Amino acid sequence: MLSNRHIMTMDDLTSNEVTLILDTAESLAEVNQRRIKKVPTLRGRTIVNLFFEPSTRTRTSFEIAAKRLSADGINFTASASATAKGETLRDTARTLAAMSCDLVVVRHKYAGAPQMLAEVMDCSVINGGDGIHQHPTQALLDLYTMRQSLGRLEGLRVGIVGDVCHSRVAGSLVPALRMMGATPVIIGPPTLMPARPDVLGAEVCYDLDEVLPTLDVAYLLRVQFERATRMPFPSNREYAMLYGMNADRLAAMPSHAIVMHPGPMNRGVEISADVADSPRSVILGQVESGVAVRMAAMYLLLGGAESGAAA
Amino acid sequence: MDAQSMDRALTRIAHEILEANKGATGIALAGIMTRGVDLADRLAERIERIEGTAVPVGSLDISFYRDDVAIRLSPEVHTTDIPFEVEEHTIVLVDDVLYTGRTIRAAMDALMDYGRPGSIQLAVLVDRGHRELPIRADFVGKNVPTARRERVKVLLAEHDDRDAVVILEDDGEGE
Protein backbone atom coordinates (compact mmCIF):
# COMPACT_ATOMS: atom_id res chain seq x y z
CA MET A 1 0.00 0.00 0.00
CA LEU A 2 2.99 2.30 0.51
CA SER A 3 5.23 2.65 -2.51
CA ASN A 4 8.39 2.49 -0.37
CA ARG A 5 9.12 -0.36 2.04
CA HIS A 6 10.94 1.94 4.46
CA ILE A 7 10.03 5.20 6.15
CA MET A 8 13.30 7.10 6.37
CA THR A 9 12.24 10.66 5.73
CA MET A 10 9.08 12.47 4.74
CA ASP A 11 10.42 12.34 1.18
CA ASP A 12 9.64 8.60 1.16
CA LEU A 13 5.93 9.40 1.29
CA THR A 14 3.53 11.11 -1.08
CA SER A 15 0.71 13.32 0.15
CA ASN A 16 -1.76 10.53 -0.72
CA GLU A 17 0.26 8.10 1.37
CA VAL A 18 0.36 10.54 4.28
CA THR A 19 -3.43 10.85 4.06
CA LEU A 20 -3.73 7.04 3.96
CA ILE A 21 -1.57 6.73 7.09
CA LEU A 22 -3.63 9.38 8.91
CA ASP A 23 -6.94 7.76 7.87
CA THR A 24 -5.72 4.31 8.91
CA ALA A 25 -4.54 5.76 12.22
CA GLU A 26 -8.02 7.16 12.79
CA SER A 27 -9.46 3.64 12.55
CA LEU A 28 -6.73 2.22 14.75
CA ALA A 29 -7.26 4.94 17.37
CA GLU A 30 -10.60 3.27 18.05
CA VAL A 31 -8.76 0.08 19.06
CA ASN A 32 -6.89 2.11 21.70
CA GLN A 33 -10.19 3.15 23.29
CA ARG A 34 -11.51 -0.38 23.76
CA ARG A 35 -11.41 -2.55 26.83
CA ILE A 36 -9.40 -5.13 24.86
CA LYS A 37 -6.81 -2.93 23.14
CA LYS A 38 -5.51 -5.48 20.70
CA VAL A 39 -6.17 -6.71 17.18
CA PRO A 40 -4.56 -9.80 15.60
CA THR A 41 -3.38 -7.97 12.46
CA LEU A 42 0.38 -8.59 12.67
CA ARG A 43 0.33 -11.88 14.56
CA GLY A 44 3.56 -13.78 14.00
CA ARG A 45 5.51 -10.72 12.80
CA THR A 46 8.63 -9.61 14.66
CA ILE A 47 9.38 -5.94 15.21
CA VAL A 48 12.70 -4.85 16.71
CA ASN A 49 13.21 -1.51 18.41
CA LEU A 50 16.88 -0.73 17.89
CA PHE A 51 17.63 2.32 19.99
CA PHE A 52 21.17 3.68 20.14
CA GLU A 53 20.02 6.88 21.86
CA PRO A 54 18.06 7.29 25.08
CA SER A 55 14.33 7.44 24.48
CA THR A 56 11.31 6.76 26.61
CA ARG A 57 8.27 8.04 24.78
CA THR A 58 9.19 7.07 21.21
CA ARG A 59 10.42 3.60 22.12
CA THR A 60 7.41 2.96 24.37
CA SER A 61 5.06 4.27 21.71
CA PHE A 62 6.50 1.92 19.05
CA GLU A 63 6.48 -0.94 21.55
CA ILE A 64 2.82 -0.41 22.48
CA ALA A 65 1.89 -0.02 18.81
CA ALA A 66 3.53 -3.36 17.96
CA LYS A 67 1.84 -5.12 20.87
CA ARG A 68 -1.60 -3.73 19.98
CA LEU A 69 -1.19 -5.20 16.50
CA SER A 70 -0.18 -8.55 18.08
CA ALA A 71 3.35 -8.41 16.68
CA ASP A 72 6.23 -9.72 18.77
CA GLY A 73 8.20 -6.67 19.83
CA ILE A 74 11.80 -6.84 20.95
CA ASN A 75 13.74 -3.98 22.48
CA PHE A 76 17.40 -3.74 21.70
CA THR A 77 19.16 -0.93 23.54
CA ALA A 78 22.69 0.10 22.76
CA SER A 79 23.98 -0.06 26.32
CA ALA A 80 22.98 -3.72 26.59
CA SER A 81 23.98 -4.69 23.08
CA ALA A 82 27.06 -5.97 21.37
CA THR A 83 27.77 -2.47 20.04
CA ALA A 84 28.95 -1.67 23.56
CA LYS A 85 31.51 -4.44 23.04
CA GLY A 86 32.74 -2.94 19.80
CA GLU A 87 30.48 -4.54 17.19
CA THR A 88 29.86 -2.30 14.18
CA LEU A 89 26.41 -1.06 13.29
CA ARG A 90 26.57 -3.03 10.05
CA ASP A 91 27.33 -6.28 11.89
CA THR A 92 24.53 -5.61 14.37
CA ALA A 93 22.18 -5.14 11.43
CA ARG A 94 23.34 -8.36 9.80
CA THR A 95 22.88 -10.25 13.06
CA LEU A 96 19.33 -8.96 13.39
CA ALA A 97 18.62 -9.73 9.73
CA ALA A 98 19.74 -13.32 10.31
CA MET A 99 17.07 -13.57 13.02
CA SER A 100 14.38 -12.94 10.38
CA CYS A 101 12.75 -9.87 11.86
CA ASP A 102 10.11 -8.13 9.75
CA LEU A 103 10.54 -4.50 10.79
CA VAL A 104 13.26 -2.59 12.59
CA VAL A 105 12.74 0.80 14.18
CA VAL A 106 16.08 2.58 14.48
CA ARG A 107 17.08 5.56 16.53
CA HIS A 108 20.65 6.74 16.25
CA LYS A 109 22.60 9.88 17.03
CA TYR A 110 24.06 9.97 13.51
CA ALA A 111 21.99 11.11 10.56
CA GLY A 112 21.81 8.41 7.90
CA ALA A 113 22.33 5.44 10.25
CA PRO A 114 18.80 4.04 9.57
CA GLN A 115 19.42 4.43 5.83
CA MET A 116 22.63 2.43 6.13
CA LEU A 117 20.79 -0.31 8.05
CA ALA A 118 18.03 -0.43 5.46
CA GLU A 119 20.63 -1.09 2.78
CA VAL A 120 22.04 -4.07 4.71
CA MET A 121 18.78 -5.64 5.92
CA ASP A 122 15.98 -7.32 3.97
CA CYS A 123 13.21 -6.12 6.26
CA SER A 124 11.43 -2.77 6.46
CA VAL A 125 13.06 -0.01 8.48
CA ILE A 126 11.44 2.99 10.18
CA ASN A 127 13.64 5.90 11.12
CA GLY A 128 12.82 6.51 14.78
CA GLY A 129 14.98 9.67 14.78
CA ASP A 130 18.47 10.07 13.35
CA GLY A 131 20.61 12.80 14.84
CA ILE A 132 19.43 16.25 13.84
CA HIS A 133 18.12 14.95 10.51
CA GLN A 134 14.55 13.56 10.57
CA HIS A 135 11.93 11.86 12.73
CA PRO A 136 9.15 11.07 10.25
CA THR A 137 6.68 9.29 12.55
CA GLN A 138 6.82 12.31 14.88
CA ALA A 139 5.83 14.53 11.93
CA LEU A 140 3.03 12.11 11.02
CA LEU A 141 1.63 12.10 14.55
CA ASP A 142 1.86 15.88 14.63
CA LEU A 143 -0.11 16.11 11.38
CA TYR A 144 -2.64 13.67 12.81
CA THR A 145 -3.02 15.74 15.99
CA MET A 146 -3.44 18.97 14.01
CA ARG A 147 -6.06 17.36 11.77
CA GLN A 148 -7.95 16.01 14.79
CA SER A 149 -7.81 19.34 16.64
CA LEU A 150 -8.39 21.78 13.79
CA GLY A 151 -10.23 19.60 11.27
CA ARG A 152 -7.84 20.18 8.38
CA LEU A 153 -4.22 20.57 7.38
CA GLU A 154 -4.51 22.57 4.20
CA GLY A 155 -4.12 26.29 4.77
CA LEU A 156 -2.90 26.06 8.37
CA ARG A 157 -0.10 28.35 9.50
CA VAL A 158 2.15 26.48 11.89
CA GLY A 159 4.82 28.30 13.85
CA ILE A 160 7.75 26.04 14.78
CA VAL A 161 9.44 27.87 17.60
CA GLY A 162 12.89 27.58 19.13
CA ASP A 163 15.81 25.26 18.56
CA VAL A 164 15.29 24.67 14.85
CA CYS A 165 18.94 23.97 14.06
CA HIS A 166 19.18 20.91 16.32
CA SER A 167 15.68 19.66 15.68
CA ARG A 168 14.97 16.50 13.69
CA VAL A 169 11.32 17.18 14.54
CA ALA A 170 11.50 20.43 12.55
CA GLY A 171 13.47 18.58 9.86
CA SER A 172 10.49 16.29 9.25
CA LEU A 173 7.64 18.60 10.14
CA VAL A 174 8.53 21.42 7.74
CA PRO A 175 8.41 19.24 4.58
CA ALA A 176 5.40 17.33 5.95
CA LEU A 177 3.41 20.53 6.40
CA ARG A 178 4.39 21.81 2.98
CA MET A 179 3.38 18.49 1.41
CA MET A 180 -0.08 18.73 2.98
CA GLY A 181 -0.70 22.32 1.94
CA ALA A 182 0.07 24.02 5.26
CA THR A 183 2.52 26.88 5.79
CA PRO A 184 5.40 26.28 8.19
CA VAL A 185 6.98 29.30 9.83
CA ILE A 186 10.23 28.79 11.71
CA ILE A 187 10.79 31.19 14.57
CA GLY A 188 13.73 31.51 16.92
CA PRO A 189 16.89 33.38 17.80
CA PRO A 190 19.50 33.49 15.03
CA THR A 191 21.80 31.31 17.16
CA LEU A 192 19.25 28.46 17.02
CA MET A 193 18.45 28.76 13.33
CA PRO A 194 20.15 26.71 10.64
CA ALA A 195 22.99 28.49 8.83
CA ARG A 196 20.76 28.80 5.74
CA PRO A 197 17.20 28.83 7.14
CA ASP A 198 15.75 29.56 3.70
CA VAL A 199 16.72 26.11 2.37
CA LEU A 200 14.20 24.45 4.71
CA GLY A 201 11.39 25.91 2.65
CA ALA A 202 9.64 27.60 5.55
CA GLU A 203 8.92 31.24 6.26
CA VAL A 204 11.59 32.56 8.63
CA CYS A 205 10.84 34.92 11.52
CA TYR A 206 12.90 36.09 14.49
CA ASP A 207 10.12 37.85 16.43
CA LEU A 208 7.62 35.49 18.03
CA ASP A 209 5.24 38.23 19.21
CA GLU A 210 4.95 39.66 15.73
CA VAL A 211 3.85 36.39 14.14
CA LEU A 212 1.69 34.87 16.93
CA PRO A 213 -1.65 36.45 15.90
CA THR A 214 -1.36 34.81 12.47
CA LEU A 215 -0.73 31.25 13.68
CA ASP A 216 -3.12 28.32 13.95
CA VAL A 217 -0.52 26.24 15.78
CA ALA A 218 2.38 27.20 18.01
CA TYR A 219 4.73 24.22 17.92
CA LEU A 220 7.37 24.65 20.58
CA LEU A 221 10.63 22.79 20.22
CA ARG A 222 12.68 21.59 23.13
CA VAL A 223 15.95 23.44 23.53
CA GLN A 224 18.44 20.61 23.08
CA PHE A 225 21.15 21.66 25.47
CA GLU A 226 22.82 18.26 25.04
CA ARG A 227 23.38 18.85 21.30
CA ALA A 228 24.56 22.44 21.58
CA THR A 229 28.34 22.91 21.48
CA ARG A 230 28.04 26.25 23.26
CA MET A 231 25.29 28.04 25.17
CA PRO A 232 23.14 29.49 22.37
CA PHE A 233 21.63 32.27 24.52
CA PRO A 234 22.69 34.16 27.64
CA SER A 235 20.21 32.58 30.05
CA ASN A 236 17.09 30.41 30.20
CA ARG A 237 15.26 33.40 31.60
CA GLU A 238 16.10 35.54 28.58
CA TYR A 239 15.08 32.74 26.21
CA ALA A 240 11.77 32.35 28.03
CA MET A 241 11.14 36.10 27.83
CA LEU A 242 11.77 36.25 24.08
CA TYR A 243 10.65 32.84 22.80
CA GLY A 244 8.90 31.01 25.63
CA MET A 245 5.15 30.38 25.30
CA ASN A 246 3.27 31.83 28.24
CA ALA A 247 -0.31 32.81 29.04
CA ASP A 248 0.04 36.32 27.53
CA ARG A 249 1.39 34.95 24.27
CA LEU A 250 -1.30 32.28 24.18
CA ALA A 251 -3.89 35.06 24.54
CA ALA A 252 -2.34 36.84 21.55
CA MET A 253 -3.07 33.86 19.30
CA PRO A 254 -6.42 33.32 17.57
CA SER A 255 -8.95 31.66 19.89
CA HIS A 256 -8.93 28.40 17.93
CA ALA A 257 -5.14 28.09 17.93
CA ILE A 258 -3.46 25.19 19.70
CA VAL A 259 -0.10 24.61 21.37
CA MET A 260 2.06 21.59 20.61
CA HIS A 261 5.40 20.24 21.83
CA PRO A 262 7.17 17.00 20.90
CA GLY A 263 8.34 16.45 24.49
CA PRO A 264 10.06 16.14 26.78
CA MET A 265 9.34 19.73 27.84
CA ASN A 266 11.68 22.13 29.57
CA ARG A 267 8.98 23.80 31.64
CA GLY A 268 9.81 27.43 32.27
CA VAL A 269 12.13 27.61 29.26
CA GLU A 270 10.24 27.03 25.97
CA ILE A 271 6.83 26.65 27.65
CA SER A 272 5.33 27.82 30.94
CA ALA A 273 3.60 25.30 33.17
CA ASP A 274 0.19 26.97 32.86
CA VAL A 275 0.29 26.83 29.04
CA ALA A 276 1.55 23.23 29.05
CA ASP A 277 -1.43 22.21 31.16
CA SER A 278 -4.01 24.49 29.52
CA PRO A 279 -6.99 23.14 27.53
CA ARG A 280 -5.43 24.59 24.37
CA SER A 281 -2.35 22.43 24.79
CA VAL A 282 -2.66 19.16 22.83
CA ILE A 283 0.68 17.81 24.01
CA LEU A 284 -0.79 14.71 25.65
CA GLY A 285 -2.95 14.25 22.56
CA GLN A 286 0.26 14.06 20.53
CA VAL A 287 1.48 11.21 22.72
CA GLU A 288 -1.85 9.41 22.33
CA SER A 289 -1.84 9.96 18.57
CA GLY A 290 1.67 8.55 18.39
CA VAL A 291 0.51 5.02 19.16
CA ALA A 292 -2.24 5.04 16.51
CA VAL A 293 -0.01 6.61 13.85
CA ARG A 294 2.79 4.11 14.49
CA MET A 295 0.29 1.27 14.36
CA ALA A 296 -0.86 2.58 10.98
CA ALA A 297 2.71 2.85 9.68
CA MET A 298 3.50 -0.72 10.77
CA TYR A 299 0.25 -2.06 9.31
CA LEU A 300 0.82 -0.37 5.97
CA LEU A 301 4.49 -1.36 5.77
CA LEU A 302 4.04 -5.01 6.76
CA GLY A 303 0.73 -5.77 5.12
CA GLY A 304 0.25 -6.73 1.51
CA ALA A 305 3.83 -7.87 1.11
CA GLU A 306 3.09 -10.86 -1.07
CA SER A 307 0.80 -11.19 -4.05
CA GLY A 308 -1.78 -13.92 -3.75
CA ALA A 309 -5.33 -15.13 -3.61
CA ALA A 310 -8.40 -13.66 -1.98
CA ALA A 311 -9.84 -14.86 1.30
CA MET B 1 -31.27 -11.03 -8.56
CA ASP B 2 -33.10 -7.79 -9.33
CA ALA B 3 -34.27 -5.04 -6.99
CA GLN B 4 -37.67 -6.64 -6.44
CA SER B 5 -36.32 -10.07 -5.52
CA MET B 6 -33.70 -8.44 -3.26
CA ASP B 7 -36.48 -6.55 -1.50
CA ARG B 8 -38.49 -9.76 -1.06
CA ALA B 9 -35.45 -11.66 0.21
CA LEU B 10 -34.69 -8.99 2.83
CA THR B 11 -38.31 -8.95 4.01
CA ARG B 12 -38.25 -12.74 4.32
CA ILE B 13 -34.96 -12.64 6.27
CA ALA B 14 -36.46 -10.04 8.64
CA HIS B 15 -39.43 -12.36 9.28
CA GLU B 16 -37.12 -15.34 9.79
CA ILE B 17 -34.96 -13.42 12.29
CA LEU B 18 -38.07 -12.47 14.28
CA GLU B 19 -39.43 -16.01 14.16
CA ALA B 20 -36.14 -17.62 15.19
CA ASN B 21 -35.74 -15.21 18.09
CA LYS B 22 -39.41 -15.04 19.09
CA GLY B 23 -39.57 -11.32 18.45
CA ALA B 24 -37.16 -8.39 18.33
CA THR B 25 -36.36 -8.07 22.02
CA GLY B 26 -32.67 -8.48 22.76
CA ILE B 27 -31.63 -8.50 19.11
CA ALA B 28 -28.95 -6.25 17.64
CA LEU B 29 -27.67 -6.20 14.07
CA ALA B 30 -24.00 -5.81 13.16
CA GLY B 31 -23.30 -5.12 9.51
CA ILE B 32 -19.92 -5.99 8.05
CA MET B 33 -18.38 -3.04 6.19
CA THR B 34 -19.37 -1.81 3.78
CA ARG B 35 -22.42 -3.32 2.09
CA GLY B 36 -23.33 -5.44 5.09
CA VAL B 37 -23.97 -2.22 7.00
CA ASP B 38 -26.49 -1.00 4.42
CA LEU B 39 -28.20 -4.39 4.45
CA ALA B 40 -28.31 -4.34 8.26
CA ASP B 41 -29.97 -0.91 8.13
CA ARG B 42 -32.55 -2.23 5.67
CA LEU B 43 -33.24 -5.29 7.83
CA ALA B 44 -33.62 -3.12 10.95
CA GLU B 45 -36.11 -0.96 9.09
CA ARG B 46 -38.16 -4.01 8.11
CA ILE B 47 -38.00 -5.52 11.61
CA GLU B 48 -39.28 -2.26 13.07
CA ARG B 49 -42.06 -2.13 10.48
CA ILE B 50 -43.13 -5.72 11.21
CA GLU B 51 -42.68 -5.82 14.96
CA GLY B 52 -42.91 -2.16 15.96
CA THR B 53 -39.64 -2.47 17.85
CA ALA B 54 -36.44 -0.66 16.87
CA VAL B 55 -33.34 -2.85 16.95
CA PRO B 56 -29.88 -1.30 17.34
CA VAL B 57 -27.51 -1.48 14.37
CA GLY B 58 -23.73 -1.40 14.49
CA SER B 59 -20.99 -1.60 11.89
CA LEU B 60 -17.94 -3.83 11.94
CA ASP B 61 -14.75 -3.17 10.05
CA ILE B 62 -12.77 -6.39 9.93
CA SER B 63 -9.65 -5.09 8.15
CA PHE B 64 -7.48 -5.63 11.20
CA TYR B 65 -8.82 -9.14 11.82
CA ARG B 66 -8.23 -10.66 8.40
CA ASP B 67 -5.95 -13.69 8.19
CA ASP B 68 -4.50 -12.51 4.87
CA VAL B 69 -2.94 -9.19 5.85
CA ALA B 70 0.39 -10.52 4.59
CA ILE B 71 -1.17 -11.09 1.19
CA ARG B 72 -3.15 -7.93 0.77
CA LEU B 73 -4.38 -4.98 2.75
CA SER B 74 -7.88 -3.62 2.78
CA PRO B 75 -7.94 -0.75 0.31
CA GLU B 76 -9.95 1.32 2.74
CA VAL B 77 -10.14 1.02 6.49
CA HIS B 78 -13.25 2.22 8.29
CA THR B 79 -14.09 2.58 11.94
CA THR B 80 -16.05 -0.02 13.85
CA ASP B 81 -19.07 1.35 15.68
CA ILE B 82 -20.94 -0.89 18.09
CA PRO B 83 -23.43 1.43 19.84
CA PHE B 84 -24.90 -1.27 22.11
CA GLU B 85 -23.75 -3.58 24.89
CA VAL B 86 -22.59 -6.76 23.17
CA GLU B 87 -23.15 -8.86 26.29
CA GLU B 88 -26.82 -8.04 26.48
CA HIS B 89 -27.76 -8.98 22.93
CA THR B 90 -28.21 -11.76 20.44
CA ILE B 91 -26.22 -10.35 17.58
CA VAL B 92 -27.11 -10.99 13.97
CA LEU B 93 -24.07 -10.47 11.75
CA VAL B 94 -25.11 -9.20 8.34
CA ASP B 95 -23.07 -9.43 5.14
CA ASP B 96 -23.78 -9.28 1.44
CA VAL B 97 -21.99 -12.42 0.21
CA LEU B 98 -20.94 -15.55 2.09
CA TYR B 99 -18.02 -17.20 0.30
CA THR B 100 -15.03 -18.84 2.02
CA GLY B 101 -16.22 -17.99 5.53
CA ARG B 102 -13.00 -16.17 6.41
CA THR B 103 -14.67 -12.76 6.56
CA ILE B 104 -17.28 -14.11 8.99
CA ARG B 105 -14.61 -15.72 11.15
CA ALA B 106 -12.79 -12.37 11.26
CA ALA B 107 -16.07 -10.59 12.09
CA MET B 108 -16.75 -12.97 14.97
CA ASP B 109 -13.23 -12.37 16.30
CA ALA B 110 -13.79 -8.61 16.07
CA LEU B 111 -17.14 -8.84 17.80
CA MET B 112 -15.72 -10.95 20.63
CA ASP B 113 -13.22 -8.16 21.37
CA TYR B 114 -16.18 -5.96 22.32
CA GLY B 115 -17.65 -8.49 24.74
CA ARG B 116 -19.29 -11.89 24.95
CA PRO B 117 -22.55 -11.88 23.04
CA GLY B 118 -25.42 -14.10 24.17
CA SER B 119 -25.24 -15.71 20.74
CA ILE B 120 -24.22 -14.80 17.21
CA GLN B 121 -26.36 -15.52 14.16
CA LEU B 122 -25.51 -14.89 10.53
CA ALA B 123 -27.66 -13.36 7.82
CA VAL B 124 -26.38 -13.03 4.24
CA LEU B 125 -28.04 -11.87 1.08
CA VAL B 126 -26.17 -14.37 -1.11
CA ASP B 127 -24.48 -17.66 -0.27
CA ARG B 128 -22.20 -18.56 -3.16
CA GLY B 129 -20.62 -21.66 -1.59
CA HIS B 130 -16.89 -22.63 -1.65
CA ARG B 131 -16.52 -22.60 2.13
CA GLU B 132 -13.00 -22.97 3.55
CA LEU B 133 -14.13 -22.86 7.19
CA PRO B 134 -17.01 -24.66 8.93
CA ILE B 135 -19.35 -21.67 8.87
CA ARG B 136 -22.94 -21.55 7.63
CA ALA B 137 -25.55 -18.82 7.56
CA ASP B 138 -28.72 -18.93 9.65
CA PHE B 139 -30.60 -16.70 7.22
CA VAL B 140 -29.90 -16.67 3.47
CA GLY B 141 -31.53 -14.46 0.85
CA LYS B 142 -30.52 -16.66 -2.06
CA ASN B 143 -28.16 -19.56 -2.67
CA VAL B 144 -26.20 -18.85 -5.85
CA PRO B 145 -24.03 -21.73 -7.06
CA THR B 146 -20.90 -20.24 -8.61
CA ALA B 147 -17.54 -21.24 -9.97
CA ARG B 148 -14.50 -20.04 -8.06
CA ARG B 149 -13.35 -18.01 -11.03
CA GLU B 150 -16.59 -16.03 -10.89
CA ARG B 151 -17.26 -13.03 -8.69
CA VAL B 152 -20.56 -12.19 -7.06
CA LYS B 153 -21.21 -8.49 -6.79
CA VAL B 154 -24.04 -7.05 -4.73
CA LEU B 155 -25.07 -3.64 -5.99
CA LEU B 156 -26.95 -1.42 -3.57
CA ALA B 157 -28.65 1.86 -4.31
CA GLU B 158 -26.66 3.47 -1.47
CA HIS B 159 -23.43 2.91 -3.42
CA ASP B 160 -24.25 1.83 -6.93
CA ASP B 161 -27.46 3.65 -7.88
CA ARG B 162 -29.43 0.39 -8.17
CA ASP B 163 -30.20 -2.82 -6.31
CA ALA B 164 -29.04 -6.02 -8.00
CA VAL B 165 -26.85 -9.08 -7.61
CA VAL B 166 -24.66 -9.84 -10.60
CA ILE B 167 -22.12 -12.54 -11.40
CA LEU B 168 -18.96 -11.34 -13.07
CA GLU B 169 -15.90 -13.07 -14.43
CA ASP B 170 -13.13 -12.72 -11.84
CA ASP B 171 -10.87 -9.75 -12.55
CA GLY B 172 -8.25 -11.05 -10.16
CA GLU B 173 -9.26 -8.76 -7.30
CA GLY B 174 -11.32 -11.41 -5.52
CA GLU B 175 -14.14 -10.79 -3.02
Side-chain angles (χ1 to χ4, degrees):
Chain A
M1 294 293 270
L2 300 180
S3 54
N4 205 314
R5 54 192 283 257
H6 308 297
I7 301 179
M8 288 292 142
T9 69
M10 288 309 296
D11 296 334
D12 290 333
L13 300 166
T14 63
S15 61
N16 283 342
E17 287 174 335
V18 169
T19 303
L20 174 68
I21 293 173
L22 303 189
D23 290 347
T24 307
E26 213 166 288
S27 301
L28 284 161
E30 184 264 332
V31 173
N32 296 331
Q33 302 304 321
R34 293 189 205 165
R35 192 162 49 86
I36 300 172
K37 299 175 185 62
K38 206 172 179 73
V39 287
T41 316
L42 296 184
R43 200 168 45 193
R45 302 303 191 95
T46 306
I47 294 173
V48 177
N49 285 326
L50 187 54
F51 277 61
F52 294 96
E53 253 194 347
S55 165
T56 304
R57 72 188 61 215
T58 303
R59 187 180 53 72
T60 309
S61 180
F62 272 110
E63 194 178 340
I64 291 174
K67 285 185 194 308
R68 294 206 172 149
L69 291 172
S70 300
D72 298 315
I74 293 160
N75 286 321
F76 187 95
T77 46
S79 59
S81 77
T83 50
K85 300 174 191 165
E87 186 177 73
T88 65
L89 184 59
R90 192 175 287 267
D91 283 337
T92 303
R94 286 193 174 125
T95 305
L96 286 171
M99 293 176 191
S100 304
C101 49
D102 298 289
L103 172 70
V104 176
V105 180
V106 187
R107 166 165 291 191
H108 204 283
K109 66 177 176 180
Y110 294 128
Q115 181 68 46
M116 197 273 273
L117 285 176
E119 285 162 13
V120 177
M121 303 176 84
D122 289 332
C123 63
S124 292
V125 177
I126 294 179
N127 176 4
D130 59 338
I132 58 170
H133 180 219
Q134 285 232 359
H135 191 0
T137 58
Q138 177 72 44
L140 289 167
L141 76 87
D142 292 333
L143 294 180
Y144 180 87
T145 309
M146 287 177 209
R147 199 176 76 163
Q148 292 296 106
S149 304
L150 300 169
R152 68 193 162 97
L153 291 173
E154 199 169 352
L156 293 182
R157 263 176 80 77
V158 179
I160 301 169
V161 188
D163 191 354
V164 180
C165 69
H166 295 119
S167 177
R168 56 191 170 210
V169 173
S172 294
L173 188 55
V174 168
L177 288 166
R178 281 165 50 90
M179 188 191 296
M180 303 312 287
T183 304
V185 186
I186 52 172
I187 306 147
T191 51
L192 287 175
M193 283 288 190
R196 291 275 315 277
D198 52 311
V199 297
L200 278 179
E203 284 182 28
V204 182
C205 180
Y206 297 99
D207 185 343
L208 178 61
D209 292 308
E210 178 190 297
V211 79
L212 274 176
T214 71
L215 297 179
D216 300 295
V217 180
Y219 193 110
L220 309 163
L221 298 171
R222 183 173 67 87
V223 179
Q224 300 189 49
F225 295 107
E226 75 278 12
R227 290 194 202 275
T229 50
R230 57 187 166 71
M231 189 64 179
F233 40 78
S235 69
N236 287 352
R237 186 174 147 77
E238 182 178 308
Y239 181 87
M241 279 174 62
L242 292 172
Y243 293 101
M245 181 55 73
N246 54 36
D248 290 341
R249 289 200 164 110
L250 186 60
M253 294 181 73
S255 58
H256 68 270
I258 55 170
V259 175
M260 300 175 71
H261 191 298
M265 292 179 277
N266 293 316
R267 283 179 187 248
V269 183
E270 66 263 3
I271 189 165
S272 67
D274 54 348
V275 171
D277 301 328
S278 85
R280 289 170 68 185
S281 151
V282 295
I283 296 166
L284 288 177
Q286 288 171 267
V287 178
E288 194 182 334
S289 306
V291 174
V293 166
R294 287 169 177 133
M295 285 168 81
M298 289 173 179
Y299 170 70
L300 293 166
L301 279 178
L302 291 186
E306 306 156 25
S307 58
Chain B
M1 204 174 191
D2 59 14
Q4 205 174 20
S5 47
M6 191 189 287
D7 184 57
R8 273 199 299 269
L10 288 171
T11 304
R12 181 171 49 75
I13 291 174
H15 278 289
E16 286 174 0
I17 290 171
L18 289 170
E19 196 172 327
N21 294 287
K22 299 180 174 58
T25 312
I27 292 177
L29 304 181
I32 299 172
M33 290 275 188
T34 53
R35 283 173 174 73
V37 179
D38 299 314
L39 292 173
D41 284 334
R42 292 190 192 191
L43 282 172
E45 206 177 284
R46 282 165 173 76
I47 288 171
E48 186 168 5
R49 208 186 309 147
I50 298 163
E51 196 76 359
T53 308
V55 291
V57 181
S59 56
L60 270 181
D61 182 272
I62 53 124
S63 307
F64 303 124
Y65 289 84
R66 297 189 68 100
D67 59 8
D68 62 350
V69 170
I71 298 169
R72 81 199 158 107
L73 295 177
S74 295
E76 216 176 317
V77 176
H78 303 273
T79 302
T80 291
D81 177 26
I82 302 293
F84 48 81
E85 287 299 323
V86 168
E87 282 86 351
E88 295 165 7
H89 289 88
T90 289
I91 294 174
V92 183
L93 279 176
V94 182
D95 206 2
D96 52 353
V97 180
L98 176 57
Y99 180 26
T100 60
R102 290 177 190 269
T103 298
I104 304 303
R105 186 204 63 84
M108 287 194 285
D109 281 349
L111 203 51
M112 295 291 188
D113 276 356
Y114 286 86
R116 185 176 182 274
S119 66
I120 299 177
Q121 299 169 0
L122 175 61
V124 295
L125 184 65
V126 174
D127 184 347
R128 63 168 292 192
H130 304 290
R131 216 74 81 238
E132 292 169 4
L133 298 174
I135 284 170
R136 70 168 177 78
D138 300 279
F139 315 104
V140 180
K142 190 174 175 65
N143 287 293
V144 181
T146 56
R148 271 194 180 271
R149 65 182 161 73
E150 290 172 323
R151 201 156 67 91
V152 176
K153 179 113 180 128
V154 173
L155 305 174
L156 296 177
E158 292 89 333
H159 297 278
D160 313 292
D161 297 329
R162 67 183 172 116
D163 285 349
V165 177
V166 293
I167 298 176
L168 306 166
E169 283 299 310
D170 192 1
D171 58 7
E173 285 182 13
E175 282 301 306

